[in-house]
Amino acid sequence: MPLEATMMIIDNSEYMRNGDYIPSRFEAQSDAVKTIFQTKIDSNPENTVGVMTMANKGPEVLVTHSKDIGQIIKALHVTSSKIGGSIDIPTAINIAQLALKHRENKNLRQRIIVFVGSPLQGQGADEREMVKLAKRLKKNNVAVDFVAFGDGVEEETNVLKAFVENTANSDNSHLVSVPPGTHLLSDVIISSPILSEDRGIPPEAMGDVGGASGSGGANFEFGVDPSLDPELALALRMSMEEEQARQAAEEQTRQSAGDAHPQAESAGVDKDDEAMLAQALAMSEHNDIDMGEEQDEEMDEEEAIARAIQMSMKQEEKEQGGQ
């Protein structure tokens, strides 16, 4: 388990009043802060965790290098009445780095975890300035994790991603993006690479999530870590399988109906062909009958002509005999 001194920078800007996370952005963030603290302390009793804010009147350190969850809860309670203003990420990170530099146990590695739930402003929105700060942190062996939620999700693909990529040393820095939904912010973070080593999970076991721009529980099937909630993961899997079976049955029914329709048309065509053939045969037979009658008429005419010739010859013979 890692030996670390961690400073958590929380977002207490006006955007934290929004209710798109349960029960609000600030409350969801507070729950995540307590989860991270407990996981760090449970991981190694030598670990220490501090908390500071980065909005309202300006960045302010609330707790430094503590192992007491009571101090963290008190600090969060005090901050709940100091929500307002806009965030100042560069200044807050510099103050956090200074606080980590004065840690008592120099054997503890340094880590900063920044919660971003509002749009970046000022130097925090300047990618060039942020990259310069990231490189300085990397030089001082300070790892930085970002938890982007709320309006911070929109910043994931640009400034924050560039910052993490320039801070990361052997994949020790991460960006976790948590969009609004029914999931809890703390649940996504605990199943993300931010706390993987503290939970005894090798970074390579996290798959693509272990990269600099990891997306937390998004790479788990259905976005749920089976090790955290196996019943929910099983229920989601069964629901998906039932839906797939239903869609397959509907597709098969449509195909069957499609095959039956051409057969019916073919049968109708066959019946029409048979009717036309029968009509043609009937016409043919009728023509044959007519032709027979015409032949009989022709025979009667020939017989009449023959009789007339015979009568004419007999008449000539009688006249010759009388002479």
Side-chain angles (χ1 to χ4, degrees):
M1 300 297 179
L3 277 169
E4 283 187 340
T6 304
M7 279 295 295
M8 286 187 282
I9 303 175
I10 62 176
D11 189 339
N12 63 325
S13 67
E14 195 67 32
Y15 288 86
M16 291 300 99
R17 301 184 189 277
N18 292 354
D20 48 351
Y21 291 78
I22 301 173
S24 69
R25 289 187 185 180
F26 184 79
E27 292 298 330
Q29 177 182 235
S30 299
D31 185 43
V33 167
K34 289 181 280 187
T35 299
I36 293 174
F37 176 89
Q38 199 62 54
T39 304
K40 292 287 184 182
I41 299 302
D42 292 344
S43 170
N44 195 311
E46 296 297 321
N47 289 347
T48 62
V49 181
V51 176
M52 65 174 292
T53 61
M54 60 174 170
N56 198 261
K57 296 181 180 180
E60 179 184 1
V61 177
L62 304 175
V63 180
T64 58
H65 314 302
S66 176
K67 301 178 184 179
D68 184 5
I69 185 66
Q71 294 185 16
I72 304 298
I73 294 175
K74 181 180 178 180
L76 293 172
H77 177 70
V78 171
T79 305
S80 64
S81 61
K82 296 181 178 180
I83 296 177
S86 57
I87 60 176
D88 185 355
I89 292 180
T91 303
I93 290 179
N94 282 321
I95 294 175
Q97 182 187 5
L98 186 61
L100 290 173
K101 185 177 181 180
H102 291 87
R103 65 194 184 282
E104 294 181 3
N105 186 352
K106 301 300 181 180
N107 293 324
L108 298 177
R109 294 184 298 181
Q110 305 171 82
R111 179 175 297 276
I112 299 174
I113 300 177
V114 186
F115 287 84
V116 182
S118 54
L120 303 182
Q121 297 182 8
Q123 289 188 346
D126 188 338
E127 184 174 337
R128 183 178 178 182
E129 292 297 324
M130 290 288 281
V131 168
K132 286 172 60 177
L133 175 59
K135 291 179 178 179
R136 187 165 66 250
L137 291 169
K138 182 177 181 179
K139 183 179 179 180
N140 294 328
N141 297 317
V142 180
V144 180
D145 296 320
F146 279 99
V147 178
F149 66 107
D151 291 84
V153 174
E154 300 177 1
E155 314 294 340
E156 176 193 355
T157 58
N158 40 63
V159 178
L160 298 184
K161 184 176 181 180
F163 188 100
V164 170
E165 288 175 348
N166 284 276
T167 310
N169 185 6
S170 301
D171 290 335
N172 66 342
S173 299
H174 310 93
L175 170 59
V176 175
S177 178
V178 187
T182 56
H183 48 263
L184 297 177
L185 183 61
S186 57
D187 286 348
V188 176
I189 293 174
I190 202 171
S191 61
S192 73
I194 292 178
L195 297 178
S196 61
E197 289 188 69
D198 297 282
R199 297 174 59 218
I201 302 175
E204 57 270 15
M206 302 299 291
D208 294 337
V209 183
S213 60
S215 55
N219 279 16
F220 288 109
E221 188 175 21
F222 315 114
V224 177
D225 185 355
S227 64
L228 295 177
D229 198 340
E231 293 182 357
L232 177 59
L234 178 61
L236 291 172
R237 177 180 290 275
M238 292 177 64
S239 177
M240 183 192 71
E241 292 175 351
E242 290 176 358
E243 179 64 17
Q244 289 177 344
R246 184 187 66 80
Q247 292 178 357
E250 289 182 354
E251 182 65 22
Q252 186 175 3
T253 302
R254 285 196 296 267
Q255 290 180 355
S256 299
D259 293 342
H261 185 65
Q263 290 178 0
E265 291 181 351
S266 177
V269 171
D270 292 341
K271 290 181 180 180
D272 292 341
D273 291 343
E274 290 177 359
M276 292 177 65
L277 180 59
Q279 184 179 2
L281 290 173
M283 292 176 64
S284 176
E285 291 175 355
H286 180 69
N287 289 339
D288 291 344
I289 294 171
D290 292 343
M291 289 175 62
E293 291 178 352
E294 290 177 358
Q295 290 177 354
D296 290 343
E297 291 178 356
E298 290 177 356
M299 288 294 294
D300 293 342
E301 291 178 357
E302 291 177 356
E303 290 179 355
I305 293 171
R307 289 177 183 176
I309 292 172
Q310 289 179 357
M311 292 176 65
S312 175
M313 291 176 64
K314 289 180 179 180
Q315 184 68 26
E316 289 179 357
E317 289 177 355
K318 288 180 178 180
E319 292 179 351
Q320 291 177 359
Q323 293 176 354

Coordinates of all heavy atoms in Angstrom, one line a residue, residues 146-218:
F146 N -7.4 14.7 -11.1 CA -8.6 15.6 -11.3 C -9.9 14.8 -11.3 O -9.9 13.7 -11.9 CB -8.5 16.4 -12.6 CG -7.6 17.6 -12.5 CD1 -6.3 17.5 -13.0 CD2 -8.1 18.8 -12.0 CE1 -5.5 18.6 -13.0 CE2 -7.2 19.9 -11.9 CZ -5.9 19.8 -12.4
V147 N -10.9 15.3 -10.5 CA -12.2 14.7 -10.6 C -13.1 15.7 -11.2 O -13.4 16.7 -10.6 CB -12.7 14.3 -9.2 CG1 -14.1 13.7 -9.2 CG2 -11.8 13.3 -8.5
A148 N -13.5 15.5 -12.5 CA -14.3 16.4 -13.2 C -15.8 16.0 -13.1 O -16.1 14.9 -13.5 CB -13.9 16.5 -14.7
F149 N -16.6 16.9 -12.6 CA -18.1 16.6 -12.5 C -18.8 17.9 -12.8 O -18.2 19.0 -12.7 CB -18.4 16.0 -11.2 CG -18.2 16.9 -10.0 CD1 -19.3 17.4 -9.4 CD2 -17.0 17.2 -9.5 CE1 -19.2 18.3 -8.3 CE2 -16.8 18.0 -8.5 CZ -17.9 18.6 -7.8
G150 N -20.1 17.8 -13.0 CA -20.9 19.0 -13.3 C -20.4 19.7 -14.6 O -20.1 19.1 -15.6
D151 N -20.2 21.0 -14.4 CA -19.6 21.8 -15.6 C -18.2 21.5 -15.9 O -17.7 21.8 -16.9 CB -19.8 23.3 -15.3 CG -21.2 23.8 -15.2 OD1 -21.9 23.6 -14.2 OD2 -21.7 24.3 -16.3
G152 N -17.5 20.8 -14.9 CA -16.1 20.4 -15.1 C -15.9 19.3 -16.1 O -14.9 19.1 -16.7
V153 N -17.0 18.6 -16.4 CA -17.0 17.5 -17.4 C -16.6 18.0 -18.8 O -15.9 17.4 -19.6 CB -18.3 16.7 -17.4 CG1 -18.3 15.7 -18.5 CG2 -18.5 16.0 -16.1
E154 N -17.1 19.3 -19.1 CA -16.8 19.9 -20.4 C -15.4 20.2 -20.6 O -14.9 20.4 -21.7 CB -17.7 21.1 -20.5 CG -19.2 20.9 -20.4 CD -20.0 22.1 -20.5 OE1 -19.4 23.2 -20.7 OE2 -21.2 22.1 -20.4
E155 N -14.6 20.3 -19.5 CA -13.2 20.7 -19.6 C -12.3 19.5 -19.7 O -11.1 19.6 -19.8 CB -12.8 21.5 -18.3 CG -13.7 22.6 -17.9 CD -13.8 23.7 -18.9 OE1 -12.9 23.8 -19.7 OE2 -14.8 24.4 -18.9
E156 N -12.9 18.3 -19.7 CA -12.1 17.0 -19.6 C -11.2 16.9 -20.8 O -10.1 16.4 -20.7 CB -13.1 15.8 -19.6 CG -12.3 14.5 -19.6 CD -13.3 13.3 -19.9 OE1 -14.5 13.5 -19.9 OE2 -12.8 12.2 -20.0
T157 N -11.6 17.2 -22.0 CA -10.9 16.8 -23.2 C -9.8 17.9 -23.6 O -9.1 17.7 -24.6 CB -11.8 16.7 -24.4 OG1 -12.6 17.9 -24.6 CG2 -12.8 15.5 -24.1
N158 N -9.7 19.0 -22.9 CA -8.7 20.0 -23.3 C -7.8 20.3 -22.2 O -6.7 19.7 -22.0 CB -9.5 21.3 -23.8 CG -10.7 21.6 -22.9 OD1 -10.6 21.8 -21.8 ND2 -11.9 21.5 -23.5
V159 N -8.0 21.3 -21.4 CA -7.0 21.8 -20.4 C -6.7 20.8 -19.4 O -5.5 20.6 -19.1 CB -7.6 23.1 -19.7 CG1 -6.6 23.6 -18.7 CG2 -7.8 24.2 -20.8
L160 N -7.7 20.2 -18.7 CA -7.4 19.2 -17.7 C -6.6 18.0 -18.2 O -5.7 17.5 -17.5 CB -8.7 18.8 -17.0 CG -9.5 19.9 -16.3 CD1 -10.7 19.4 -15.6 CD2 -8.6 20.7 -15.3
K161 N -7.0 17.6 -19.4 CA -6.4 16.4 -20.0 C -4.9 16.7 -20.3 O -4.0 15.9 -20.0 CB -7.1 16.0 -21.2 CG -6.5 14.7 -21.9 CD -7.3 14.3 -23.1 CE -6.7 13.0 -23.7 NZ -7.5 12.6 -24.9
A162 N -4.6 17.9 -20.8 CA -3.3 18.3 -21.1 C -2.5 18.4 -19.8 O -1.3 18.1 -19.7 CB -3.3 19.6 -21.8
F163 N -3.1 18.9 -18.8 CA -2.4 19.1 -17.5 C -2.0 17.7 -16.9 O -0.8 17.5 -16.5 CB -3.3 19.8 -16.5 CG -2.7 20.1 -15.2 CD1 -2.2 21.4 -14.9 CD2 -2.5 19.2 -14.2 CE1 -1.6 21.8 -13.7 CE2 -1.9 19.5 -13.0 CZ -1.4 20.8 -12.8
V164 N -2.9 16.8 -16.9 CA -2.6 15.4 -16.4 C -1.5 14.7 -17.2 O -0.6 14.1 -16.7 CB -3.9 14.6 -16.3 CG1 -3.6 13.1 -16.0 CG2 -4.9 15.1 -15.3
E165 N -1.6 14.9 -18.5 CA -0.6 14.2 -19.4 C 0.8 14.8 -19.1 O 1.8 14.0 -19.2 CB -1.0 14.5 -20.9 CG -2.2 13.6 -21.3 CD -2.6 14.0 -22.7 OE1 -2.1 15.0 -23.3 OE2 -3.5 13.3 -23.3
N166 N 0.9 16.0 -18.8 CA 2.2 16.6 -18.5 C 2.7 16.4 -17.1 O 3.8 16.7 -16.8 CB 2.2 18.1 -18.9 CG 2.2 18.4 -20.4 OD1 3.3 18.4 -21.0 ND2 1.1 18.5 -21.0
T167 N 1.8 16.0 -16.2 CA 2.1 15.8 -14.8 C 2.5 14.3 -14.6 O 3.3 14.0 -13.7 CB 1.0 16.2 -13.8 OG1 0.6 17.5 -14.2 CG2 1.4 16.2 -12.4
A168 N 1.8 13.5 -15.3 CA 1.9 12.0 -15.1 C 3.3 11.5 -15.2 O 4.1 11.9 -16.1 CB 1.0 11.3 -16.0
N169 N 3.7 10.7 -14.2 CA 5.0 10.1 -14.2 C 4.8 8.6 -13.8 O 4.4 8.3 -12.7 CB 6.0 10.7 -13.1 CG 7.4 10.1 -13.2 OD1 7.7 9.3 -14.0 ND2 8.2 10.5 -12.2
S170 N 4.9 7.7 -14.8 CA 4.6 6.3 -14.6 C 3.1 6.1 -14.3 O 2.7 5.3 -13.4 CB 5.5 5.7 -13.6 OG 6.8 5.8 -13.9
D171 N 2.3 6.9 -15.0 CA 0.8 6.8 -14.8 C 0.4 7.1 -13.3 O -0.5 6.4 -12.8 CB 0.3 5.4 -15.2 CG 0.3 5.3 -16.7 OD1 0.3 6.3 -17.4 OD2 0.4 4.1 -17.2
N172 N 1.0 8.0 -12.7 CA 0.6 8.3 -11.3 C -0.4 9.4 -11.2 O -0.8 9.8 -10.0 CB 1.9 8.6 -10.5 CG 2.6 10.0 -10.9 OD1 2.3 10.4 -12.0 ND2 3.4 10.5 -10.0
S173 N -0.8 10.0 -12.3 CA -1.8 11.1 -12.3 C -3.0 10.7 -13.2 O -2.7 10.0 -14.2 CB -1.2 12.4 -12.8 OG -0.1 12.8 -11.9
H174 N -4.2 11.1 -12.8 CA -5.3 10.6 -13.5 C -6.4 11.7 -13.6 O -6.4 12.6 -12.8 CB -6.0 9.4 -12.8 CG -5.0 8.3 -12.5 ND1 -4.3 8.2 -11.3 CD2 -4.5 7.3 -13.3 CE1 -3.5 7.2 -11.3 NE2 -3.6 6.6 -12.5
L175 N -7.2 11.6 -14.6 CA -8.4 12.4 -14.8 C -9.6 11.5 -14.8 O -9.8 10.7 -15.7 CB -8.3 13.2 -16.1 CG -9.5 14.0 -16.6 CD1 -10.0 15.0 -15.5 CD2 -9.3 14.7 -17.9
V176 N -10.5 11.7 -13.9 CA -11.7 10.9 -13.8 C -12.9 11.9 -14.0 O -13.1 12.9 -13.3 CB -11.9 10.3 -12.4 CG1 -13.2 9.5 -12.3 CG2 -10.7 9.3 -12.2
S177 N -13.7 11.5 -15.1 CA -14.9 12.3 -15.4 C -16.1 11.6 -15.0 O -16.3 10.5 -15.3 CB -14.9 12.6 -16.9 OG -16.0 13.3 -17.3
V178 N -17.0 12.3 -14.3 CA -18.2 11.7 -13.7 C -19.4 12.6 -14.1 O -19.7 13.6 -13.5 CB -18.2 11.6 -12.2 CG1 -19.4 10.8 -11.7 CG2 -16.9 11.0 -11.7
P179 N -20.1 12.2 -15.2 CA -21.3 13.0 -15.7 C -22.4 12.7 -14.7 O -22.5 11.8 -13.9 CB -21.6 12.4 -17.0 CG -21.0 11.0 -17.0 CD -19.8 11.1 -16.1
P180 N -23.5 13.6 -14.7 CA -24.6 13.4 -13.9 C -25.3 12.1 -14.2 O -25.3 11.6 -15.3 CB -25.5 14.6 -14.2 CG -24.6 15.6 -14.9 CD -23.6 14.8 -15.6
G181 N -25.9 11.5 -13.1 CA -26.7 10.3 -13.3 C -27.1 9.8 -11.9 O -27.1 10.5 -10.9
T182 N -27.6 8.5 -11.9 CA -28.1 7.9 -10.7 C -27.0 7.4 -9.8 O -27.2 7.2 -8.6 CB -29.1 6.8 -11.0 OG1 -28.3 5.8 -11.8 CG2 -30.3 7.2 -11.8
H183 N -25.8 7.3 -10.4 CA -24.7 6.8 -9.6 C -24.2 7.9 -8.6 O -24.4 9.1 -8.8 CB -23.5 6.5 -10.5 CG -23.2 7.5 -11.5 ND1 -23.7 7.5 -12.8 CD2 -22.5 8.7 -11.5 CE1 -23.3 8.5 -13.5 NE2 -22.5 9.3 -12.7
L184 N -23.5 7.5 -7.6 CA -22.9 8.4 -6.6 C -21.5 8.7 -7.0 O -20.7 7.9 -7.5 CB -22.9 7.8 -5.2 CG -24.3 7.4 -4.6 CD1 -24.1 6.7 -3.2 CD2 -25.1 8.7 -4.4
L185 N -21.1 10.0 -6.8 CA -19.8 10.5 -7.1 C -18.7 9.6 -6.4 O -17.7 9.3 -7.0 CB -19.7 11.9 -6.8 CG -18.4 12.6 -7.1 CD1 -18.1 12.6 -8.6 CD2 -18.4 14.1 -6.7
S186 N -19.0 9.3 -5.1 CA -18.0 8.6 -4.3 C -17.9 7.2 -4.8 O -16.7 6.6 -4.8 CB -18.5 8.6 -2.9 OG -19.8 8.0 -2.7
D187 N -18.9 6.5 -5.3 CA -18.8 5.2 -5.9 C -18.0 5.1 -7.1 O -17.2 4.2 -7.3 CB -20.2 4.6 -6.2 CG -21.0 4.3 -4.9 OD1 -20.4 4.3 -3.8 OD2 -22.2 4.1 -5.0
V188 N -18.1 6.1 -8.0 CA -17.3 6.1 -9.2 C -15.8 6.3 -8.9 O -14.9 5.7 -9.4 CB -17.8 7.2 -10.2 CG1 -16.9 7.3 -11.4 CG2 -19.2 6.9 -10.6
I189 N -15.5 7.2 -7.9 CA -14.2 7.5 -7.5 C -13.5 6.3 -6.9 O -12.3 6.0 -7.2 CB -14.1 8.7 -6.6 CG1 -14.5 10.0 -7.3 CG2 -12.7 8.9 -6.0 CD1 -14.6 11.2 -6.5
I190 N -14.2 5.6 -6.0 CA -13.6 4.5 -5.3 C -13.2 3.3 -6.3 O -12.4 2.5 -6.0 CB -14.5 4.0 -4.2 CG1 -13.6 3.2 -3.1 CG2 -15.6 3.1 -4.7 CD1 -14.4 2.9 -1.9
S191 N -13.9 3.3 -7.4 CA -13.7 2.2 -8.4 C -12.8 2.7 -9.6 O -12.6 2.1 -10.6 CB -15.0 1.7 -9.0 OG -15.7 2.7 -9.7
S192 N -12.2 3.9 -9.4 CA -11.3 4.5 -10.4 C -9.9 4.3 -10.0 O -9.5 3.9 -8.9 CB -11.7 6.0 -10.5 OG -11.1 6.7 -9.3
P193 N -9.0 4.6 -11.0 CA -7.5 4.5 -10.7 C -7.0 5.4 -9.6 O -5.9 5.2 -9.1 CB -6.9 4.8 -12.1 CG -7.9 5.5 -12.8 CD -9.2 5.0 -12.4
I194 N -7.8 6.4 -9.2 CA -7.3 7.3 -8.2 C -7.1 6.6 -6.9 O -6.1 6.9 -6.1 CB -8.3 8.5 -7.9 CG1 -8.3 9.4 -9.2 CG2 -8.0 9.3 -6.7 CD1 -9.4 10.5 -9.1
L195 N -7.9 5.6 -6.6 CA -7.8 4.8 -5.3 C -7.4 3.4 -5.6 O -7.6 2.5 -4.7 CB -9.1 4.9 -4.6 CG -9.5 6.3 -4.1 CD1 -10.9 6.3 -3.4 CD2 -8.4 6.9 -3.2
S196 N -7.0 3.0 -6.8 CA -6.8 1.6 -7.1 C -5.6 1.0 -6.2 O -5.7 0.0 -5.7 CB -6.4 1.4 -8.6 OG -5.3 2.2 -8.9
E197 N -4.5 1.8 -6.1 CA -3.4 1.3 -5.3 C -3.7 1.2 -3.8 O -3.3 0.3 -3.1 CB -2.2 2.2 -5.5 CG -1.5 2.0 -6.9 CD -0.2 2.8 -7.0 OE1 0.7 2.4 -6.3 OE2 -0.2 3.8 -7.7
D198 N -4.5 2.2 -3.4 CA -4.9 2.1 -2.0 C -5.8 1.0 -1.7 O -5.8 0.5 -0.5 CB -5.7 3.4 -1.6 CG -4.8 4.7 -1.8 OD1 -3.9 4.9 -0.9 OD2 -4.9 5.4 -2.8
R199 N -6.5 0.5 -2.6 CA -7.4 -0.7 -2.5 C -6.7 -2.0 -2.8 O -7.3 -3.1 -2.8 CB -8.6 -0.6 -3.3 CG -9.5 0.6 -3.0 CD -10.6 0.8 -4.0 NE -11.5 -0.3 -4.0 CZ -12.0 -0.8 -5.1 NH1 -11.8 -0.2 -6.3 NH2 -12.8 -1.9 -5.1
G200 N -5.4 -1.9 -3.1 CA -4.6 -3.1 -3.4 C -4.8 -3.6 -4.8 O -4.5 -4.8 -5.1
I201 N -5.3 -2.8 -5.7 CA -5.6 -3.2 -7.1 C -4.4 -2.7 -8.0 O -4.2 -1.5 -8.0 CB -6.9 -2.7 -7.7 CG1 -8.0 -3.2 -6.8 CG2 -7.1 -3.1 -9.1 CD1 -9.4 -2.6 -7.1
P202 N -3.7 -3.5 -8.7 CA -2.6 -3.1 -9.5 C -3.1 -2.1 -10.6 O -4.2 -2.4 -11.1 CB -2.0 -4.3 -10.1 CG -2.4 -5.4 -9.2 CD -3.8 -5.0 -8.7
P203 N -2.4 -1.1 -11.0 CA -2.9 -0.2 -12.0 C -3.2 -0.9 -13.3 O -4.1 -0.5 -14.0 CB -1.7 0.8 -12.2 CG -1.0 0.7 -10.9 CD -1.1 -0.7 -10.4
E204 N -2.4 -1.9 -13.7 CA -2.6 -2.6 -15.0 C -4.0 -3.4 -15.0 O -4.6 -3.6 -16.0 CB -1.5 -3.6 -15.3 CG -1.2 -4.6 -14.2 CD -0.2 -4.2 -13.2 OE1 0.0 -2.9 -13.1 OE2 0.3 -5.0 -12.5
A205 N -4.5 -3.7 -13.7 CA -5.7 -4.4 -13.6 C -6.9 -3.5 -13.9 O -8.0 -3.9 -14.2 CB -5.9 -5.0 -12.3
M206 N -6.7 -2.2 -14.0 CA -7.7 -1.2 -14.2 C -8.0 -1.0 -15.7 O -8.9 -0.3 -16.2 CB -7.4 0.2 -13.6 CG -7.2 0.1 -12.1 SD -8.6 -0.4 -11.2 CE -9.7 0.9 -11.5
G207 N -7.1 -1.7 -16.6 CA -7.3 -1.6 -18.0 C -7.0 -0.2 -18.5 O -6.1 0.5 -18.0
D208 N -7.8 0.3 -19.4 CA -7.7 1.6 -20.0 C -7.9 2.7 -19.0 O -7.5 3.9 -19.1 CB -8.6 1.9 -21.2 CG -8.2 1.0 -22.4 OD1 -7.1 0.5 -22.4 OD2 -9.1 0.7 -23.2
V209 N -8.6 2.4 -17.9 CA -8.9 3.4 -16.9 C -7.7 3.9 -16.2 O -7.6 5.0 -15.7 CB -9.9 2.8 -15.8 CG1 -10.3 3.9 -14.8 CG2 -11.1 2.3 -16.5
G210 N -6.6 3.1 -16.2 CA -5.4 3.5 -15.6 C -4.6 4.5 -16.3 O -3.6 5.0 -15.8
G211 N -5.0 5.0 -17.5 CA -4.3 6.0 -18.2 C -4.5 7.3 -17.6 O -5.2 7.6 -16.7
A212 N -3.8 8.3 -18.2 CA -3.8 9.7 -17.7 C -5.2 10.3 -17.8 O -5.5 11.2 -17.0 CB -2.8 10.5 -18.5
S213 N -6.0 9.8 -18.7 CA -7.3 10.4 -18.9 C -8.4 9.4 -18.6 O -9.4 9.3 -19.3 CB -7.4 11.0 -20.3 OG -7.3 9.9 -21.3
G214 N -8.2 8.6 -17.6 CA -9.1 7.6 -17.2 C -10.5 8.2 -16.9 O -10.6 9.3 -16.5
S215 N -11.5 7.4 -17.1 CA -12.9 7.9 -16.8 C -13.6 7.2 -15.7 O -14.8 7.0 -15.7 CB -13.7 7.8 -18.1 OG -13.6 6.4 -18.6
G216 N -12.8 6.7 -14.7 CA -13.5 6.1 -13.6 C -14.1 4.8 -13.9 O -13.6 4.0 -14.5
G217 N -15.4 4.7 -13.3 CA -16.1 3.4 -13.5 C -16.7 3.3 -14.9 O -17.4 2.3 -15.1
A218 N -16.4 4.2 -15.8 CA -17.0 4.1 -17.1 C -16.6 2.9 -17.9 O -17.3 2.4 -18.8 CB -16.7 5.4 -17.9

